[in-house]
Amino acid sequence: MKTSTQQPTIYSASCGFESACQISALPEGHRSRGLHGHSYFATIRAHLPEGWAPFPGAEVEELRRRLEACVAPLDHALLNASITEPTDENIARWIKHRLEHEFGVPGIQQVGIQSTQHSGVDLDADGMAHVWRRYRFQAAHRLPNVPAGHKCGRMHGHGFEVIVHANQDLGERDLSVDYDHLDEVWAPFHMQLNYHCLNEIEGLSNPTSEVISAWLWARMKPQLPELSWLTVYETGSCGANFDGQHYRIWKELTLDSAIQLKRAPNEHPLRGIHGHTYTLRLHLSAELDQLMGWTVDFGDVKTQFDPIFKAIDHRPLFEIADLPDGDTASLSAWILAKGRAVLPQLDRVDMYETRGCGAIVCADVEGPVIPV
């Protein structure tokens, strides 16, 4: 794994739009063939060159502005008037093309379209469509190998969530068919996991998030060769990714802080003191501990990071001496540097000031940015 003191930054912006659509290529009787509608949510992630935005620190705001202008023709409109077969994938391709060729957005890494709370598509920099579907199951478990007194050693339960991601370059084909296929593949696993004690299932005697993701991968991959990675949410704020080889975990936190952008023009509103309820997501990568069944204990992540968290939560961030500025890219880079000093497994920090709008800073210059 290569590291760099000049961490690569990916800027992210999102917006929603309300649209009607009709997928004529679907067979008669399919639920999505008739005229219907969605509350869509679009996300763009891009490497942006220095000087692209009106001033340093304005990248997220400018990216959001251009994304909103790009999708404006789709809002409260019939998508078929702009896109022949408005599947999630084709909408993402339409947005990517317009952003690149009409709105001057360089370095696009991902365009995401979420059409429902539980499904969507992420289009990567190479044009590959990653279809995803979210599933839930309710289950009990305990971790038998944790030290005495560890809360996870007691029998307890979670409302688990699993996101199944599949690589499918489908072109003009309809994605709802593929969502249906994912549903078919998932159905027997739901029956096996939902309303059960995971420890009693063969292969899940130590059911950490990492072990669950690997257990599902081994059983789903033969049925779904396109499977690219699995995301397991143990709670709404932590979970694990597995792609067949590598484990990654994340821990999400929220903080309420005041900022000002020092490099904004004097008359710009971002120059003044303002604030956000930030969503901060810490990503860690490590080898699996074969005894414990985890890469890093979520509890240890919280404990080790807590002094850094307390230094930025409910604080005026512009008073931190070694923080260059208050934009999310500067904040992410600062948190990554501080965090790696106490959590060397930390290799990515996401910082969002509003939903989907913020910056991602990675220590791994070659690693893909997997959506969570």
Side-chain angles (χ1 to χ4, degrees):
M1 177 183 295
K2 295 181 181 179
T3 58
S4 171
T5 55
Q6 183 71 32
Q7 295 96 349
T9 300
I10 296 175
Y11 296 93
S12 176
S14 298
C15 70
F17 56 96
E18 309 285 332
S19 305
C21 67
Q22 190 170 19
I23 313 297
S24 59
L26 286 168
E28 291 287 345
H30 194 282
R31 64 184 181 276
S32 296
R33 182 180 171 87
L35 185 63
H36 62 289
H38 293 286
S39 294
Y40 291 93
F41 193 72
T43 300
I44 170 72
R45 289 174 168 176
H47 286 299
L48 299 174
E50 185 176 351
W52 178 82
F55 59 86
E59 291 84 1
V60 174
E61 181 68 17
E62 181 64 18
L63 192 61
R64 182 191 58 78
R65 187 188 68 78
R66 297 194 194 195
L67 176 61
E68 288 179 346
C70 174
V71 303
L74 306 181
D75 191 32
H76 288 80
L78 177 64
L79 295 184
N80 300 71
S82 299
I83 305 167
T84 304
E85 289 291 339
T87 62
D88 291 353
E89 178 187 346
N90 289 340
I91 297 169
R93 293 189 185 282
W94 183 90
I95 291 174
K96 184 174 186 289
H97 184 271
R98 277 173 59 85
L99 286 173
E100 289 177 332
H101 297 280
E102 299 181 39
F103 290 90
V105 178
I108 295 177
Q109 300 300 297
Q110 289 174 350
V111 176
I113 290 292
Q114 183 174 350
S115 55
T116 74
Q117 183 180 358
H118 306 294
S119 58
V121 166
D122 290 302
L123 188 67
D124 68 20
D126 297 324
M128 176 66 74
H130 303 260
V131 184
W132 61 267
R133 189 81 145 164
R134 183 192 306 266
Y135 302 98
R136 291 191 173 99
F137 65 92
Q138 312 295 321
H141 77 157
R142 62 178 293 269
L143 304 185
N145 300 332
V146 296
H150 194 294
K151 66 178 182 179
C152 292
R154 301 189 295 269
M155 183 63 70
H156 60 288
H158 295 291
F160 289 91
E161 294 188 358
V162 175
I163 303 181
V164 178
H165 310 254
N167 294 338
Q168 299 198 29
D169 189 8
L170 300 174
E172 294 294 318
R173 288 173 54 196
D174 172 61
L175 289 185
S176 65
V177 174
D178 296 276
Y179 293 145
D180 290 345
H181 180 53
L182 294 182
D183 290 347
E184 293 170 0
V185 172
W186 173 256
F189 295 100
H190 180 79
M191 294 293 294
Q192 193 171 4
L193 299 170
N194 194 45
Y195 293 121
H196 285 88
C197 176
L198 301 183
N199 301 74
E200 297 174 357
I201 298 172
E202 184 178 356
L204 289 179
S205 59
N206 185 24
T208 64
S209 295
E210 292 93 329
V211 169
I212 295 169
S213 65
W215 183 90
L216 285 168
W217 177 277
R219 288 155 180 78
M220 294 184 73
K221 185 69 172 178
Q223 302 178 49
L224 186 67
E226 303 89 350
L227 183 65
S228 50
W229 68 87
L230 286 161
T231 304
V232 174
Y233 284 78
E234 184 171 307
T235 71
S237 63
C238 64
N241 296 118
F242 185 63
D243 64 1
Q245 293 183 302
H246 305 104
Y247 295 92
R248 296 175 62 86
I249 67 165
W250 79 92
K251 178 68 178 175
E252 188 173 285
L253 306 160
T254 59
L255 57 144
D256 299 274
S257 306
I259 60 163
Q260 61 179 157
L261 300 193
K262 303 172 185 177
R263 295 171 291 180
N266 289 331
E267 69 280 4
H268 198 282
L270 295 179
R271 180 65 180 260
I273 297 174
H274 58 289
H276 299 287
T277 294
Y278 291 96
T279 298
L280 169 63
R281 193 172 294 132
L282 308 174
H283 299 258
L284 301 94
S285 181
E287 295 295 325
L288 189 72
D289 185 310
Q290 295 299 322
L291 175 63
M292 304 307 297
W294 61 41
T295 51
V296 187
D297 183 359
F298 289 123
D300 289 346
V301 174
K302 184 176 181 180
T303 300
Q304 295 296 322
F305 188 74
D306 192 56
I308 301 172
F309 177 78
K310 289 180 177 177
I312 56 178
D313 180 43
H314 283 78
R315 302 282 185 177
L317 301 185
F318 50 85
E319 293 183 356
I320 297 176
D322 61 344
L323 178 62
D325 208 346
D327 60 287
T328 50
S330 297
L331 290 170
S332 297
W334 185 89
I335 291 169
L336 181 64
K338 300 292 184 183
R340 283 174 66 84
V342 295
L343 288 167
Q345 306 93 336
L346 182 67
D347 62 5
R348 170 180 157 188
V349 169
D350 303 4
M351 190 75 164
Y352 298 100
E353 56 192 37
T354 59
R355 182 187 175 191
C357 294
I360 299 167
V361 175
C362 305
D364 181 357
V365 300
E366 294 184 339
V369 178
I370 295 177
V372 175

